[in-house]
């Protein structure tokens, strides 16, 4: 083997890796934006991100004192209706139950004398916490549920696959937030 054929073989062996490296270097900013935008990975029908957030919310809910479950008039106003929705449309029940939480947050803010005009749920939650109108644990739990709702409502790349069990767990956690919001001393 001559020196020229040896150099040609080395170039041939490194051509594809070098091309890939050059492309990655040229598009490094776009690749970084894409990678940081990936928030969850779905495998076997279970969204890892939603499952992780549900576990965080569940841990926060375990810190709450036992209280009766609150049910209000609405799209998912009874246990049987919520269970049926969870079976048929797991993602839809998360959206419906979050709507009830949001109504409870606005009612609590109005009772606390906060101006709720043009406030989104995240800002409203922060203001309620700053005004001591909600307990820190309820704040953290509601914020986790808000984040899960956003992942379901605004999916990236096909969206998360919400399981029936995840929907049921969301319902259970949401009922704890609703019960706390509808107590006369919600921040106590």
């Amino acid at each position: 083997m001559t020196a020229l054929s040896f150099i040609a073989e080395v170039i041939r062996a490194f051509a594809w890796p070098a091309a890939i490296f050059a492309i990655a270097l040229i598009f490094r900013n776009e690749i970084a934006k894409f990678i940081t935008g990936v928030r969850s990975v779905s495998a076997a029908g279970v969204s890892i991100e939603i499952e992780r957030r549900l576990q965080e919310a569940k841990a926060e809910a375990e810190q709450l004192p036992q209280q009766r479950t609150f049910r209000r008039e609405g799209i998912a106003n009874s246990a049987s209706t919520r269970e049926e929705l969870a079976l048929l449309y797991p993602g839809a029940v998360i959206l419906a139950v979050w709507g009830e939480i949001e109504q409870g947050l606005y009612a609590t803010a109005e009772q606390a004398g906060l101006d709720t005009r043009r406030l989104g749920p995240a800002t409203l939650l922060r203001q309620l916490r700053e005004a001591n109108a909600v307990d820190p644990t309820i704040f953290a739990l509601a914020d986790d549920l808000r984040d899960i709702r956003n992942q379901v409502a605004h999916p990236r790349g096909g969206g998360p696959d919400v399981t029936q069990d995840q929907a049921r767990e969301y319902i259970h956690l949401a009922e704890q937030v609703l019960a706390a919001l509808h107590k006369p001393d919600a921040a106590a």
Side-chain angles (χ1 to χ4, degrees):
M1 177 181 263
T2 67
L4 238 51
S5 62
F6 175 74
I7 292 172
E9 288 299 317
V10 169
I11 291 173
R12 186 175 302 148
F14 288 106
W16 279 110
I20 291 171
F21 178 75
I23 290 170
L25 189 61
I26 292 169
F27 294 106
R28 68 181 173 273
N29 292 334
E30 289 78 6
I31 292 170
K33 287 178 189 173
F34 173 75
I35 290 173
T36 57
V38 174
R39 294 189 52 173
S40 66
V41 177
S42 291
V46 178
S47 172
I48 294 169
E49 178 67 15
I50 286 180
E51 189 64 34
R52 183 184 66 77
R53 290 305 298 244
L54 277 172
Q55 293 308 318
E56 288 175 8
K58 188 175 180 181
E60 290 160 353
E62 288 172 357
Q63 297 174 17
L64 295 172
Q66 290 292 348
Q67 51 196 355
R68 74 174 184 82
T69 301
F70 177 80
R71 300 212 195 279
R72 63 175 292 284
E73 295 297 319
I75 190 167
N77 63 345
S78 71
S80 62
T81 303
R82 288 178 178 170
E83 284 296 315
E84 288 173 22
L85 281 173
L87 289 172
L88 298 172
Y89 310 105
V93 76
I94 287 175
L95 300 177
V97 172
W98 173 255
E100 294 181 33
I101 293 173
E102 201 169 303
Q103 288 176 349
L105 291 172
Y106 280 100
T108 302
E110 288 174 9
Q111 289 173 353
L114 298 176
D115 181 10
T116 61
R117 290 176 292 178
R118 292 186 241 140
L119 289 183
T123 305
L124 180 63
L125 261 171
R126 278 192 304 277
Q127 286 190 3
L128 284 168
R129 182 62 215 123
E130 290 167 3
N132 288 324
V134 294
D135 179 83
T137 305
I138 293 298
F139 166 79
L141 178 56
D143 195 48
D144 286 343
L145 294 177
R146 181 192 59 79
D147 187 55
I148 293 167
R149 178 265 178 205
N150 285 345
Q151 290 177 38
V152 172
H154 310 288
R156 292 183 182 190
D161 296 323
V162 180
T163 66
Q164 294 171 351
D165 289 337
Q166 289 172 331
R168 285 189 195 109
E169 185 67 31
Y170 189 94
I171 291 167
H172 173 72
L173 296 169
E175 288 172 346
Q176 292 182 49
V177 170
L178 289 168
L181 290 175
H182 289 85
K183 287 172 66 175
D185 56 342

